[in-house]
Amino acid sequence: FEPQYLRLSAVLENWKKGPVAVWHPELGRTCYFQNMSFDRGDVHFIVADWASRTGDPAALHDVPGGTWSWFADDLAGCRKPRKENIVILSHHPMWNYGALSRYGFAASDLHVLRALTRRYAGHIDANLGGHLHVNLSIDARKTAGHRVLVTDATFDDVNCLRLVYVFAQRDRIRYLHRVCRVEG
């Protein structure tokens, strides 16, 4: 995807891309992470790759060049001109989902992740994820400082898309989400 990333870097404000090929000593192999961030107006988007690509559950990947350090640094260093101006996109939702917890983060990783995101609670609006093949809305503001919004996959049943409308107000950004069924 390198040609596309080069193109995006030329058209998106404040484009940043994390290391891709990263040696993961705990897994004993190289992982290929797709961590990136960019701004669109006052909204900062962080794309966090919590997947190892081996069917393992979500993980922080706290190794040199891994997702955790990249995510924490980007979150700390991004512009925060208004409340709720940060949107985090990830395949694995940043949540542990009861009966489906084997597909999510280990409790210890989730504790560390929530401790970090709570520090930026006034600036993070939501984590938009997938992976679970359901539409879900979780108010995790007390535990994680943001909402978790999951959108169903587009290939295994009714096709769904999440449309997000963004409104800049004086001191904050507001979002209106609509999950839409796509026919045909």
Side-chain angles (χ1 to χ4, degrees):
F1 298 106
E2 191 61 28
Q4 185 62 32
Y5 292 143
L6 289 171
R7 185 172 165 215
L8 291 172
S9 72
V11 297
L12 294 173
E13 282 178 70
N14 196 28
W15 169 265
K16 293 180 185 164
K17 180 97 173 68
V20 175
V22 174
W23 175 251
H24 201 306
E26 294 171 25
L27 299 176
R29 63 181 179 77
T30 300
C31 289
Y32 297 90
F33 298 120
Q34 301 299 320
N35 295 303
M36 59 200 84
S37 67
F38 58 92
D39 293 340
R40 178 73 174 145
D42 283 344
V43 180
H44 184 69
F45 294 91
I46 301 173
V47 181
D49 189 351
W50 309 115
S52 68
R53 311 295 190 286
T54 61
D56 298 325
L60 297 178
H61 305 296
D62 189 6
V63 298
T67 299
W68 174 249
S69 58
W70 186 89
F71 176 75
D73 290 347
D74 192 80
L75 188 56
C78 72
R79 291 184 324 114
K80 299 169 186 71
R82 299 177 196 231
K83 294 176 184 169
E84 299 177 1
N85 77 297
I86 299 170
V87 176
I88 303 166
L89 310 168
S90 59
H91 176 75
H92 288 86
M94 295 169 15
W95 189 254
N96 197 339
Y97 1 91
L100 299 173
S101 63
R102 68 182 180 160
Y103 301 112
F105 287 90
S108 57
D109 280 359
L110 196 56
H111 177 75
V112 170
L113 185 55
R114 287 177 179 166
L116 175 68
T117 58
R118 266 194 315 268
R119 283 192 265 164
Y120 301 98
H123 291 287
I124 300 173
D125 173 64
N127 165 231
L128 280 61
H131 191 62
L132 301 178
H133 299 252
V134 296
N135 292 311
L136 253 211
S137 178
I138 302 161
D139 187 347
R141 287 179 278 213
K142 288 183 182 175
T143 58
H146 57 83
R147 299 175 300 150
V148 178
L149 305 171
V150 180
T151 306
D152 194 3
T154 59
F155 67 88
D156 63 343
D157 54 13
V158 175
N159 288 325
C160 292
L161 297 174
R162 180 178 296 274
L163 294 177
V164 183
Y165 300 91
V166 182
F167 305 93
Q169 295 180 331
R170 285 192 174 120
D171 66 338
R172 72 180 338 112
I173 306 291
R174 295 281 188 197
Y175 306 85
L176 174 65
H177 294 258
R178 282 186 44 217
V179 175
C180 304
R181 293 174 66 139
V182 178
E183 302 297 330

